[in-house]
Amino acid sequence: MPLTLPSERAKHRSGIKLGRVLVVEDEGLISETIGLALTDEGYDVVRAEDGRAALDLIHQLKEAESSGSFGMGLSVSQLSNRSLDLIILDLMLPYINGLDLCRLIRREGISVPILMLSAKGSETDRVVGLEVGADDYLTKPFGIRELIARCRALLRRHHQFQVQPEQPAIKYQDIALYPQECRITVRGVAVSFSPKEFKILELFMSYPRRVWSREQLLERIWGPDFIGDSKTVDVHIRWLREKLEVDPSNPTYLVTVRGFGYRFG
Ligand code: CA
């Protein structure tokens, strides 16, 4: 099933960073132009002007990731691969050239996508670049639009291939919720739920018997920016009961805890 994501520009406007890109290029003007264009697109950009500096940076980011210092307020899925999402690597660099650097990165088991840049356009360079582990290759001079398009394609492909950990079904009596398939069965029958209803039920079923106040539910499901009142919660609970309960007026799954809120089970 294709994922429907907000447009990348829209995400940028809403302050969501699309990923961190490392630009390794010794020519200041080119490095700066690429950096500005990517920042404008909503990427987080870090730059290194030679192979050695790039390698140091990669190691620092890797360490920061494993020590969890990027983990503040991030969920596990956001945290994975948070340190670096893409490397744009120029072929001609001081100290360690692009090919050797690419080889070293791959030898360390780092699978971040690499887009290689080169002034040389020969087939051999391209082939060697790809052989040492680059994912794509762009010949200078190139248009910035093309560079952005290649970056997007690489990131998309990479994210598609990242293995999602298997999430088991959450079951309670004769109700089963399959988080990855966005599917719920009630007494063995598939029942359709809106995304909000799904999220609410997922939360309830993840914490059986825990009491949630309306305010807590608004905060967790609708988010802190939601403008509206707690009646919204009651309406959704009613809809959920109609789908879950044998007798919605005498609920046994989604129970009202008078004066406090609701609980599941
Ligand atoms: Ca160069």
Side-chain angles (χ1 to χ4, degrees):
M1 193 179 73
L3 272 166
T4 355
L5 296 165
S7 82
E8 310 209 326
R9 284 260 170 197
K11 274 204 235 169
H12 178 31
R13 274 196 300 273
S14 66
I16 300 170
K17 284 285 175 194
L18 299 174
R20 180 174 290 132
V21 183
L22 169 63
V23 180
V24 193
E25 164 66 282
D26 58 317
E27 285 163 82
L29 190 62
I30 299 180
S31 170
E32 205 171 309
T33 309
I34 296 173
L36 284 174
L38 288 170
T39 308
D40 191 46
E41 285 293 308
Y43 296 94
D44 224 347
V45 178
V46 274
R47 298 199 281 153
E49 52 186 36
D50 63 64
R52 227 152 47 188
L55 209 54
D56 284 348
L57 237 161
I58 291 167
H59 290 151
Q60 277 171 30
L61 289 168
K62 223 176 133 185
E63 244 167 66
E65 184 189 43
S66 52
S67 70
S69 52
F70 286 105
M72 300 296 285
L74 291 169
S75 73
V76 176
S77 62
Q78 284 170 305
L79 191 64
S80 63
N81 210 36
R82 175 76 188 156
S83 67
L84 210 50
D85 298 285
L86 177 72
I87 301 172
I88 299 177
L89 183 55
D90 188 42
L91 199 66
M92 304 292 282
L93 292 168
Y95 308 121
I96 309 171
N97 73 41
L99 285 180
D100 289 339
L101 185 57
C102 188
R103 217 177 269 130
L104 282 170
I105 292 169
R106 292 301 184 232
R107 205 174 290 160
E108 289 187 20
I110 299 165
S111 62
V112 175
I114 296 177
L115 170 62
M116 205 164 256
L117 303 179
S118 165
K120 310 174 192 169
S122 81
E123 190 71 14
T124 330
D125 285 326
R126 192 187 160 83
V127 169
V128 174
L130 298 176
E131 264 175 7
V132 296
D135 299 270
D136 201 359
Y137 194 97
L138 197 57
T139 307
K140 291 177 186 172
F142 51 81
I144 209 77
R145 302 310 315 165
E146 163 140 42
L147 177 89
I148 300 284
R150 301 275 188 114
C151 290
R152 275 195 197 143
L154 280 175
L155 283 166
R156 209 160 32 223
R157 233 186 299 156
H158 188 64
H159 290 152
Q160 273 166 4
F161 280 111
Q162 273 176 357
V163 183
Q164 297 286 325
E166 188 89 1
Q167 259 181 293
I170 309 172
K171 289 183 178 156
Y172 179 83
Q173 292 181 1
D174 44 13
I175 295 175
L177 183 144
Y178 303 84
Q180 278 176 337
E181 300 164 47
C182 300
R183 189 165 67 86
I184 296 170
T185 58
V186 179
R187 290 172 283 283
V189 180
V191 178
S192 65
F193 287 79
S194 75
K196 276 277 184 299
E197 291 167 353
F198 191 92
K199 272 178 88 177
I200 299 169
L201 193 58
E202 188 179 12
L203 182 66
F204 271 115
M205 290 181 76
S206 303
Y207 301 91
R209 298 197 64 79
R210 170 175 168 168
V211 178
W212 295 88
S213 71
R214 289 168 178 82
E215 291 69 32
Q216 285 172 326
L217 291 169
L218 280 176
E219 168 91 24
R220 291 286 285 256
I221 307 293
W222 279 267
D225 299 329
F226 176 74
I227 304 161
D229 63 38
S230 55
K231 289 215 174 51
T232 312
V233 174
D234 300 333
V235 171
H236 279 79
I237 295 288
R238 200 169 68 227
W239 290 339
L240 277 168
R241 280 176 175 160
E242 276 161 20
K243 294 178 179 180
L244 296 173
E245 306 285 348
V246 178
D247 177 5
S249 51
N250 274 311
T252 56
Y253 297 106
L254 272 176
V255 183
T256 304
V257 184
R258 212 161 290 280
F260 292 98
Y262 298 103
R263 68 153 210 258
F264 187 85

